[in-house]
Every structure is written in structure tokens, then in C-alpha cells.
Amino acid sequence: MDEYDALVADLPDEVVDLIADLQDTVEKLEKRLAEVTDDTEDDRDPITKALDALPADVAAVIKADRERTAVLEAELAAEKERQADAEFVAKARRFDGVIADPNVFGPALRKITDSHPEEAALIAKTLEAASERLRVTDLFKELGTSAPAPGSTDEQVEAIAKSYMAEDPNISLEEARANVWETRPDLYEAHVAERQRR
């Protein structure tokens, strides 16, 4: 008879039964602890684990919402990209005559601005100056006349620019013209077409 059996032999039957019940409970708890320890080794992300613990219909609704949210976030990011590109395409129209296509150069300038803002500002300033020099040179070529041809896009741009200046006397004619090119891409395209016909 070992020491445990000797101790139990002197105890009342109720106490022996209680000890046996406690031993069963301890064994069950140890088994459950081992299962929980195995669960912690699960490399699924916490949201997936939580979804797996929910009823299937509830988990399906939440999963569908998460997928829709991911799609919407991707669409929003793409729209932000398009808007940012559109702003830079409008800026690129200021470089009339110096660049071939604002729709190609604008997004490229945006990427440069995102990674190297100072260099992008220098490029934009240089191209704007070159565009202005070309415009002045073209004015001298027009046999001494500085007025745009009647009905031309230049005439329309001048009229709109002057209306901007009337609304805001603090902007210069060049700033007003730049605003016209930004807000009226149709005039810019017509202007390029007129130049190509000359």
C-alpha cells in the first residue's frame, strides 16, 4: 500500500469521493488548457478567428461587407490618383509649345513632385518661362500686331482672362490666362489645333 492509499484508507468515503471528483476536474482542466495552447499556435489573423467563431450567416454578412469595403477603398484610391493627375495635366497646359502632350507630361510631373518636390518646382518654373518666351516670340512674328485673330481661341482666352481680372483685380493677366487654360481644357485643345494649322 503506497502513502496515498494509506492516507485515503483513514478518510471517510465522502471525502474520498470528493478527492476523486477533484482529480477528474483537474484532468479536464489540463486537457482544456492543452487545447487552448494549441489554438494560440493558430497563425490566422484575429479577425478571421473571430469570424470563424460566429454563426455562419453572420460571418458571411461581415465578410461580404469587408470585401465591399476593400473594393471601395481601392476605387477611392484610384479616384484620388485620377484627380491628382488631372490637376497636374491642367498645370502642364501652362507649358504650351514646350511639351508635346500635357496628358502625358502632367502625371509624370506629379510623380516627380511626390518624390522630389523641389526639383519638380524647378522643372515647372523653367518650362513656364520657356513657354512664355515662345509666346512673346510668336507675338513678334505676328507682324507687329498683338491682338489675337478675331474669333480665335486666343481671343476667347483673352476675353475670359480679362473677366477674371475684373472679378479679382489682384491677379495679373498671366495668372488669369493660366486660370483659363486650367478651367477650359477645350480651349487649350482648340488653341493647339489652330497652331498646328498655321
Side-chain angles (χ1 to χ4, degrees):
M1 180 183 289
D2 64 14
E3 187 179 344
Y4 174 78
D5 290 336
L7 286 170
V8 170
D10 294 334
L11 294 174
D13 289 341
E14 303 87 39
V15 174
V16 172
D17 291 342
L18 181 61
I19 291 172
D21 289 343
L22 285 172
Q23 285 176 332
D24 286 344
T25 303
V26 168
E27 285 177 13
K28 288 176 184 174
L29 286 173
E30 286 175 344
K31 184 177 178 183
R32 180 65 189 129
L33 180 61
E35 290 172 359
V36 170
T37 304
D38 289 344
D39 286 347
T40 60
E41 294 171 4
D42 188 352
D43 57 358
R44 295 176 301 160
D45 68 279
I47 294 175
T48 302
K49 288 181 195 176
L51 287 173
D52 288 347
L54 293 172
D57 55 341
V58 174
V61 169
I62 293 172
K63 285 178 183 176
D65 281 346
R66 289 185 75 210
E67 289 169 4
R68 277 194 297 271
T69 301
V71 168
L72 290 173
E73 285 173 351
E75 288 175 356
L76 179 61
E79 181 56 29
K80 284 182 180 177
E81 286 282 312
R82 281 191 292 273
Q83 287 179 359
D85 282 347
E87 288 175 20
F88 275 84
V89 167
K91 287 179 183 178
R93 288 198 170 95
R94 294 179 183 174
F95 314 137
D96 182 35
V98 179
I99 60 169
D101 186 354
N103 294 314
V104 173
F105 185 79
L109 183 61
R110 181 180 69 81
K111 288 177 184 168
I112 296 170
T113 301
D114 289 346
S115 58
H116 299 86
E118 291 176 8
E119 289 83 352
L122 180 62
I123 291 169
K125 187 175 180 181
T126 303
L127 291 174
E128 200 163 358
S131 180
E132 179 60 18
R133 282 192 202 108
L134 281 176
R135 192 188 67 75
V136 170
T137 302
D138 285 347
L139 286 176
F140 283 116
K141 287 180 183 176
E142 290 180 4
L143 303 173
T145 177
S146 59
S152 69
T153 52
D154 288 343
E155 185 177 66
Q156 293 175 47
V157 168
E158 289 295 312
I160 296 170
K162 287 178 182 171
S163 72
Y164 286 169
M165 292 173 66
E167 291 171 14
D168 182 1
N170 294 324
I171 64 170
S172 68
L173 181 58
E174 282 309 310
E175 289 171 325
R177 283 185 189 134
N179 287 343
V180 175
W181 293 129
E182 286 181 23
T183 57
R184 293 289 307 272
D186 57 316
L187 285 179
Y188 176 80
E189 289 167 10
H191 170 74
V192 170
E194 283 178 8
R195 284 191 170 215
Q196 290 173 347
R197 285 195 298 267
R198 290 181 190 167

